[in-house]
Amino acid sequence: MNFSTAASRRAAFLGVVFLAAGLSACSSANPTGEFLASSGLGPTVAPRPDFVAQSRPQSLDYMTIGTSDPGRATSARTAAEVKAAEAELDAARARSLAAGTAAATLGGTPPPPPVASPAAAPKPAGKSKTP
């Protein structure tokens, strides 16, 4: 195939553009997107509403890789506090069981007696088919 010089330049230019776009996508800033937005070729970004801007922090403090967890803000419970919490949960379980058995006895009436069906009426005497 015979390529013209203009076609090869165009292909090289597009290759460089795609390479630059791919490399810029990997960076934290997006110079290609910024260039397109500043030149008017990219999408227009609507400004954030006031309540959104006020409800979000200006900077997020993430823990960096390789640092240790700072630990809990509250201390662990003592053995006496654990026993008190267990006693509280046991009392709540006892109250729930008592309420459940009381509710079960409220609906514990015996079932009604079965309804007797009316006695079968005798069939009327009719002509028999035997001669």
Side-chain angles (χ1 to χ4, degrees):
M1 284 189 173
N2 192 1
F3 289 108
S4 68
T5 307
S8 63
R9 285 184 190 158
R10 190 176 307 129
F13 175 73
L14 288 176
V16 169
V17 168
F18 286 128
L19 179 66
L23 290 176
S24 68
C26 297
S27 65
S28 61
N30 190 353
T32 305
E34 292 171 3
F35 170 73
L36 291 176
S38 66
S39 64
L41 297 174
T44 57
V45 178
R48 292 184 192 177
D50 290 336
F51 72 93
V52 173
Q54 293 169 359
S55 66
R56 295 198 169 67
Q58 293 300 324
S59 65
L60 299 175
D61 296 329
Y62 291 110
M63 185 185 313
T64 58
I65 297 175
T67 59
S68 63
D69 187 22
R72 294 180 58 159
T74 59
S75 60
R77 291 185 178 185
T78 63
E81 291 173 337
V82 171
K83 292 289 182 186
E86 287 176 357
E88 184 180 339
L89 290 173
D90 288 338
R93 181 178 56 207
R95 284 192 304 270
S96 295
L97 287 174
T101 55
T105 58
L106 289 176
T109 58
V115 178
S117 61
K123 292 185 180 180
K127 296 182 182 176
S128 68
K129 291 188 178 183
T130 55

PDB file of all heavy atoms in Angstrom, residues 93-125:
ATOM      1  N   ARG A  93     -34.922 -10.200  77.677  1.00  0.00           N
ATOM      2  CA  ARG A  93     -35.396 -11.468  77.119  1.00  0.00           C
ATOM      3  C   ARG A  93     -36.511 -12.046  77.966  1.00  0.00           C
ATOM      4  O   ARG A  93     -37.511 -12.551  77.430  1.00  0.00           O
ATOM      5  CB  ARG A  93     -34.247 -12.461  77.011  1.00  0.00           C
ATOM      6  CG  ARG A  93     -34.690 -13.797  76.412  1.00  0.00           C
ATOM      7  CD  ARG A  93     -33.565 -14.773  76.250  1.00  0.00           C
ATOM      8  NE  ARG A  93     -32.897 -14.987  77.524  1.00  0.00           N
ATOM      9  CZ  ARG A  93     -31.633 -15.340  77.638  1.00  0.00           C
ATOM     10  NH1 ARG A  93     -30.895 -15.493  76.561  1.00  0.00           N
ATOM     11  NH2 ARG A  93     -31.100 -15.538  78.813  1.00  0.00           N
ATOM     12  N   ALA A  94     -36.389 -11.965  79.287  1.00  0.00           N
ATOM     13  CA  ALA A  94     -37.437 -12.477  80.170  1.00  0.00           C
ATOM     14  C   ALA A  94     -38.734 -11.698  79.975  1.00  0.00           C
ATOM     15  O   ALA A  94     -39.829 -12.289  79.956  1.00  0.00           O
ATOM     16  CB  ALA A  94     -36.974 -12.417  81.619  1.00  0.00           C
ATOM     17  N   ARG A  95     -38.637 -10.374  79.819  1.00  0.00           N
ATOM     18  CA  ARG A  95     -39.841  -9.570  79.575  1.00  0.00           C
ATOM     19  C   ARG A  95     -40.490  -9.951  78.244  1.00  0.00           C
ATOM     20  O   ARG A  95     -41.716 -10.052  78.145  1.00  0.00           O
ATOM     21  CB  ARG A  95     -39.490  -8.083  79.576  1.00  0.00           C
ATOM     22  CG  ARG A  95     -39.250  -7.500  80.943  1.00  0.00           C
ATOM     23  CD  ARG A  95     -39.200  -5.978  80.899  1.00  0.00           C
ATOM     24  NE  ARG A  95     -38.201  -5.458  79.962  1.00  0.00           N
ATOM     25  CZ  ARG A  95     -36.948  -5.188  80.278  1.00  0.00           C
ATOM     26  NH1 ARG A  95     -36.511  -5.402  81.505  1.00  0.00           N
ATOM     27  NH2 ARG A  95     -36.128  -4.702  79.375  1.00  0.00           N
ATOM     28  N   SER A  96     -39.687 -10.181  77.226  1.00  0.00           N
ATOM     29  CA  SER A  96     -40.229 -10.553  75.914  1.00  0.00           C
ATOM     30  C   SER A  96     -40.899 -11.920  75.959  1.00  0.00           C
ATOM     31  O   SER A  96     -41.972 -12.113  75.369  1.00  0.00           O
ATOM     32  CB  SER A  96     -39.120 -10.561  74.865  1.00  0.00           C
ATOM     33  OG  SER A  96     -38.617  -9.269  74.671  1.00  0.00           O
ATOM     34  N   LEU A  97     -40.280 -12.871  76.666  1.00  0.00           N
ATOM     35  CA  LEU A  97     -40.893 -14.195  76.790  1.00  0.00           C
ATOM     36  C   LEU A  97     -42.208 -14.127  77.559  1.00  0.00           C
ATOM     37  O   LEU A  97     -43.184 -14.798  77.200  1.00  0.00           O
ATOM     38  CB  LEU A  97     -39.929 -15.165  77.475  1.00  0.00           C
ATOM     39  CG  LEU A  97     -38.746 -15.640  76.623  1.00  0.00           C
ATOM     40  CD1 LEU A  97     -37.787 -16.480  77.464  1.00  0.00           C
ATOM     41  CD2 LEU A  97     -39.238 -16.444  75.445  1.00  0.00           C
ATOM     42  N   ALA A  98     -42.253 -13.319  78.631  1.00  0.00           N
ATOM     43  CA  ALA A  98     -43.494 -13.182  79.404  1.00  0.00           C
ATOM     44  C   ALA A  98     -44.588 -12.549  78.557  1.00  0.00           C
ATOM     45  O   ALA A  98     -45.751 -12.979  78.601  1.00  0.00           O
ATOM     46  CB  ALA A  98     -43.233 -12.341  80.652  1.00  0.00           C
ATOM     47  N   ALA A  99     -44.234 -11.545  77.764  1.00  0.00           N
ATOM     48  CA  ALA A  99     -45.227 -10.915  76.888  1.00  0.00           C
ATOM     49  C   ALA A  99     -45.703 -11.895  75.823  1.00  0.00           C
ATOM     50  O   ALA A  99     -46.883 -11.926  75.473  1.00  0.00           O
ATOM     51  CB  ALA A  99     -44.639  -9.667  76.241  1.00  0.00           C
ATOM     52  N   GLY A 100     -44.802 -12.722  75.309  1.00  0.00           N
ATOM     53  CA  GLY A 100     -45.194 -13.706  74.296  1.00  0.00           C
ATOM     54  C   GLY A 100     -46.114 -14.774  74.845  1.00  0.00           C
ATOM     55  O   GLY A 100     -47.101 -15.148  74.211  1.00  0.00           O
ATOM     56  N   THR A 101     -45.830 -15.278  76.054  1.00  0.00           N
ATOM     57  CA  THR A 101     -46.717 -16.292  76.643  1.00  0.00           C
ATOM     58  C   THR A 101     -48.055 -15.700  77.017  1.00  0.00           C
ATOM     59  O   THR A 101     -49.094 -16.356  76.880  1.00  0.00           O
ATOM     60  CB  THR A 101     -46.063 -16.941  77.876  1.00  0.00           C
ATOM     61  OG1 THR A 101     -45.687 -15.922  78.800  1.00  0.00           O
ATOM     62  CG2 THR A 101     -44.857 -17.756  77.486  1.00  0.00           C
ATOM     63  N   ALA A 102     -48.080 -14.428  77.460  1.00  0.00           N
ATOM     64  CA  ALA A 102     -49.360 -13.782  77.764  1.00  0.00           C
ATOM     65  C   ALA A 102     -50.176 -13.613  76.497  1.00  0.00           C
ATOM     66  O   ALA A 102     -51.398 -13.821  76.496  1.00  0.00           O
ATOM     67  CB  ALA A 102     -49.110 -12.427  78.423  1.00  0.00           C
ATOM     68  N   ALA A 103     -49.550 -13.262  75.401  1.00  0.00           N
ATOM     69  CA  ALA A 103     -50.270 -13.113  74.140  1.00  0.00           C
ATOM     70  C   ALA A 103     -50.766 -14.460  73.633  1.00  0.00           C
ATOM     71  O   ALA A 103     -51.846 -14.554  73.050  1.00  0.00           O
ATOM     72  CB  ALA A 103     -49.371 -12.457  73.097  1.00  0.00           C
ATOM     73  N   ALA A 104     -50.009 -15.521  73.887  1.00  0.00           N
ATOM     74  CA  ALA A 104     -50.434 -16.847  73.428  1.00  0.00           C
ATOM     75  C   ALA A 104     -51.629 -17.337  74.222  1.00  0.00           C
ATOM     76  O   ALA A 104     -52.511 -18.011  73.677  1.00  0.00           O
ATOM     77  CB  ALA A 104     -49.284 -17.831  73.540  1.00  0.00           C
ATOM     78  N   THR A 105     -51.685 -17.006  75.518  1.00  0.00           N
ATOM     79  CA  THR A 105     -52.822 -17.464  76.323  1.00  0.00           C
ATOM     80  C   THR A 105     -54.071 -16.662  76.018  1.00  0.00           C
ATOM     81  O   THR A 105     -55.179 -17.152  76.227  1.00  0.00           O
ATOM     82  CB  THR A 105     -52.500 -17.363  77.825  1.00  0.00           C
ATOM     83  OG1 THR A 105     -52.170 -16.013  78.138  1.00  0.00           O
ATOM     84  CG2 THR A 105     -51.365 -18.282  78.204  1.00  0.00           C
ATOM     85  N   LEU A 106     -53.948 -15.433  75.532  1.00  0.00           N
ATOM     86  CA  LEU A 106     -55.133 -14.655  75.182  1.00  0.00           C
ATOM     87  C   LEU A 106     -55.888 -15.295  74.027  1.00  0.00           C
ATOM     88  O   LEU A 106     -57.113 -15.255  73.972  1.00  0.00           O
ATOM     89  CB  LEU A 106     -54.735 -13.231  74.805  1.00  0.00           C
ATOM     90  CG  LEU A 106     -54.265 -12.352  75.951  1.00  0.00           C
ATOM     91  CD1 LEU A 106     -53.820 -11.008  75.412  1.00  0.00           C
ATOM     92  CD2 LEU A 106     -55.366 -12.170  76.975  1.00  0.00           C
ATOM     93  N   GLY A 107     -55.218 -15.862  73.128  1.00  0.00           N
ATOM     94  CA  GLY A 107     -55.862 -16.488  71.983  1.00  0.00           C
ATOM     95  C   GLY A 107     -56.057 -17.981  72.184  1.00  0.00           C
ATOM     96  O   GLY A 107     -56.303 -18.713  71.241  1.00  0.00           O
ATOM     97  N   GLY A 108     -56.008 -18.458  73.431  1.00  0.00           N
ATOM     98  CA  GLY A 108     -56.067 -19.894  73.687  1.00  0.00           C
ATOM     99  C   GLY A 108     -57.456 -20.423  73.986  1.00  0.00           C
ATOM    100  O   GLY A 108     -57.605 -21.341  74.782  1.00  0.00           O
ATOM    101  N   THR A 109     -58.484 -19.859  73.396  1.00  0.00           N
ATOM    102  CA  THR A 109     -59.836 -20.392  73.612  1.00  0.00           C
ATOM    103  C   THR A 109     -59.973 -21.697  72.848  1.00  0.00           C
ATOM    104  O   THR A 109     -59.356 -21.900  71.804  1.00  0.00           O
ATOM    105  CB  THR A 109     -60.890 -19.374  73.112  1.00  0.00           C
ATOM    106  OG1 THR A 109     -60.656 -19.108  71.740  1.00  0.00           O
ATOM    107  CG2 THR A 109     -60.812 -18.080  73.904  1.00  0.00           C
ATOM    108  N   PRO A 110     -60.795 -22.592  73.373  1.00  0.00           N
ATOM    109  CA  PRO A 110     -60.946 -23.878  72.670  1.00  0.00           C
ATOM    110  C   PRO A 110     -61.659 -23.664  71.329  1.00  0.00           C
ATOM    111  O   PRO A 110     -62.443 -22.741  71.170  1.00  0.00           O
ATOM    112  CB  PRO A 110     -61.787 -24.718  73.621  1.00  0.00           C
ATOM    113  CG  PRO A 110     -62.499 -23.734  74.473  1.00  0.00           C
ATOM    114  CD  PRO A 110     -61.599 -22.537  74.586  1.00  0.00           C
ATOM    115  N   PRO A 111     -61.394 -24.532  70.389  1.00  0.00           N
ATOM    116  CA  PRO A 111     -62.056 -24.380  69.097  1.00  0.00           C
ATOM    117  C   PRO A 111     -63.553 -24.667  69.232  1.00  0.00           C
ATOM    118  O   PRO A 111     -63.976 -25.412  70.127  1.00  0.00           O
ATOM    119  CB  PRO A 111     -61.369 -25.418  68.204  1.00  0.00           C
ATOM    120  CG  PRO A 111     -60.788 -26.401  69.143  1.00  0.00           C
ATOM    121  CD  PRO A 111     -60.481 -25.667  70.402  1.00  0.00           C
ATOM    122  N   PRO A 112     -64.374 -24.078  68.407  1.00  0.00           N
ATOM    123  CA  PRO A 112     -65.823 -24.332  68.485  1.00  0.00           C
ATOM    124  C   PRO A 112     -66.132 -25.770  68.080  1.00  0.00           C
ATOM    125  O   PRO A 112     -65.354 -26.419  67.379  1.00  0.00           O
ATOM    126  CB  PRO A 112     -66.409 -23.334  67.485  1.00  0.00           C
ATOM    127  CG  PRO A 112     -65.307 -23.041  66.534  1.00  0.00           C
ATOM    128  CD  PRO A 112     -64.044 -23.167  67.321  1.00  0.00           C
ATOM    129  N   PRO A 113     -67.269 -26.292  68.561  1.00  0.00           N
ATOM    130  CA  PRO A 113     -67.633 -27.666  68.176  1.00  0.00           C
ATOM    131  C   PRO A 113     -67.929 -27.724  66.684  1.00  0.00           C
ATOM    132  O   PRO A 113     -68.332 -26.731  66.085  1.00  0.00           O
ATOM    133  CB  PRO A 113     -68.883 -27.958  69.007  1.00  0.00           C
ATOM    134  CG  PRO A 113     -69.444 -26.615  69.335  1.00  0.00           C
ATOM    135  CD  PRO A 113     -68.286 -25.679  69.425  1.00  0.00           C
ATOM    136  N   PRO A 114     -67.717 -28.866  66.083  1.00  0.00           N
ATOM    137  CA  PRO A 114     -67.982 -28.966  64.642  1.00  0.00           C
ATOM    138  C   PRO A 114     -69.475 -28.781  64.356  1.00  0.00           C
ATOM    139  O   PRO A 114     -70.333 -29.134  65.156  1.00  0.00           O
ATOM    140  CB  PRO A 114     -67.512 -30.364  64.278  1.00  0.00           C
ATOM    141  CG  PRO A 114     -67.442 -31.110  65.548  1.00  0.00           C
ATOM    142  CD  PRO A 114     -67.235 -30.113  66.639  1.00  0.00           C
ATOM    143  N   VAL A 115     -69.763 -28.206  63.233  1.00  0.00           N
ATOM    144  CA  VAL A 115     -71.141 -27.965  62.818  1.00  0.00           C
ATOM    145  C   VAL A 115     -71.699 -29.266  62.257  1.00  0.00           C
ATOM    146  O   VAL A 115     -71.082 -29.898  61.401  1.00  0.00           O
ATOM    147  CB  VAL A 115     -71.194 -26.846  61.770  1.00  0.00           C
ATOM    148  CG1 VAL A 115     -72.614 -26.613  61.276  1.00  0.00           C
ATOM    149  CG2 VAL A 115     -70.600 -25.576  62.325  1.00  0.00           C
ATOM    150  N   ALA A 116     -72.852 -29.655  62.797  1.00  0.00           N
ATOM    151  CA  ALA A 116     -73.501 -30.894  62.304  1.00  0.00           C
ATOM    152  C   ALA A 116     -74.218 -30.587  61.003  1.00  0.00           C
ATOM    153  O   ALA A 116     -74.941 -29.609  60.895  1.00  0.00           O
ATOM    154  CB  ALA A 116     -74.476 -31.415  63.340  1.00  0.00           C
ATOM    155  N   SER A 117     -74.028 -31.447  60.024  1.00  0.00           N
ATOM    156  CA  SER A 117     -74.707 -31.251  58.753  1.00  0.00           C
ATOM    157  C   SER A 117     -76.135 -31.750  58.880  1.00  0.00           C
ATOM    158  O   SER A 117     -76.429 -32.655  59.653  1.00  0.00           O
ATOM    159  CB  SER A 117     -73.963 -31.988  57.640  1.00  0.00           C
ATOM    160  OG  SER A 117     -73.942 -33.363  57.918  1.00  0.00           O
ATOM    161  N   PRO A 118     -77.049 -31.164  58.157  1.00  0.00           N
ATOM    162  CA  PRO A 118     -78.440 -31.630  58.239  1.00  0.00           C
ATOM    163  C   PRO A 118     -78.552 -33.076  57.758  1.00  0.00           C
ATOM    164  O   PRO A 118     -77.756 -33.531  56.935  1.00  0.00           O
ATOM    165  CB  PRO A 118     -79.194 -30.673  57.325  1.00  0.00           C
ATOM    166  CG  PRO A 118     -78.164 -29.999  56.483  1.00  0.00           C
ATOM    167  CD  PRO A 118     -76.874 -30.084  57.215  1.00  0.00           C
ATOM    168  N   ALA A 119     -79.512 -33.790  58.324  1.00  0.00           N
ATOM    169  CA  ALA A 119     -79.708 -35.203  57.970  1.00  0.00           C
ATOM    170  C   ALA A 119     -80.093 -35.297  56.495  1.00  0.00           C
ATOM    171  O   ALA A 119     -80.790 -34.447  55.961  1.00  0.00           O
ATOM    172  CB  ALA A 119     -80.801 -35.819  58.822  1.00  0.00           C
ATOM    173  N   ALA A 120     -79.601 -36.336  55.874  1.00  0.00           N
ATOM    174  CA  ALA A 120     -79.879 -36.530  54.456  1.00  0.00           C
ATOM    175  C   ALA A 120     -81.357 -36.835  54.286  1.00  0.00           C
ATOM    176  O   ALA A 120     -81.924 -37.669  54.990  1.00  0.00           O
ATOM    177  CB  ALA A 120     -79.037 -37.665  53.912  1.00  0.00           C
ATOM    178  N   ALA A 121     -82.017 -36.149  53.392  1.00  0.00           N
ATOM    179  CA  ALA A 121     -83.442 -36.344  53.129  1.00  0.00           C
ATOM    180  C   ALA A 121     -83.628 -37.650  52.349  1.00  0.00           C
ATOM    181  O   ALA A 121     -82.810 -37.992  51.492  1.00  0.00           O
ATOM    182  CB  ALA A 121     -83.978 -35.175  52.327  1.00  0.00           C
ATOM    183  N   PRO A 122     -84.684 -38.397  52.637  1.00  0.00           N
ATOM    184  CA  PRO A 122     -84.918 -39.647  51.876  1.00  0.00           C
ATOM    185  C   PRO A 122     -85.262 -39.320  50.435  1.00  0.00           C
ATOM    186  O   PRO A 122     -85.858 -38.303  50.135  1.00  0.00           O
ATOM    187  CB  PRO A 122     -86.107 -40.291  52.588  1.00  0.00           C
ATOM    188  CG  PRO A 122     -86.758 -39.206  53.336  1.00  0.00           C
ATOM    189  CD  PRO A 122     -85.724 -38.174  53.642  1.00  0.00           C
ATOM    190  N   LYS A 123     -84.837 -40.185  49.546  1.00  0.00           N
ATOM    191  CA  LYS A 123     -85.104 -39.976  48.140  1.00  0.00           C
ATOM    192  C   LYS A 123     -86.578 -40.248  47.851  1.00  0.00           C
ATOM    193  O   LYS A 123     -87.157 -41.177  48.416  1.00  0.00           O
ATOM    194  CB  LYS A 123     -84.222 -40.913  47.307  1.00  0.00           C
ATOM    195  CG  LYS A 123     -82.755 -40.557  47.393  1.00  0.00           C
ATOM    196  CD  LYS A 123     -81.942 -41.423  46.454  1.00  0.00           C
ATOM    197  CE  LYS A 123     -80.481 -41.035  46.563  1.00  0.00           C
ATOM    198  NZ  LYS A 123     -79.645 -41.821  45.696  1.00  0.00           N
ATOM    199  N   PRO A 124     -87.171 -39.446  47.008  1.00  0.00           N
ATOM    200  CA  PRO A 124     -88.592 -39.693  46.684  1.00  0.00           C
ATOM    201  C   PRO A 124     -88.752 -40.994  45.904  1.00  0.00           C
ATOM    202  O   PRO A 124     -87.905 -41.345  45.103  1.00  0.00           O
ATOM    203  CB  PRO A 124     -89.009 -38.482  45.850  1.00  0.00           C
ATOM    204  CG  PRO A 124     -87.723 -37.904  45.350  1.00  0.00           C
ATOM    205  CD  PRO A 124     -86.660 -38.304  46.309  1.00  0.00           C
ATOM    206  N   ALA A 125     -89.840 -41.671  46.189  1.00  0.00           N
ATOM    207  CA  ALA A 125     -90.113 -42.927  45.493  1.00  0.00           C
ATOM    208  C   ALA A 125     -90.630 -42.593  44.094  1.00  0.00           C
ATOM    209  O   ALA A 125     -91.511 -41.798  43.931  1.00  0.00           O
ATOM    210  CB  ALA A 125     -91.144 -43.737  46.233  1.00  0.00           C
TER     211      ALA A 125
END
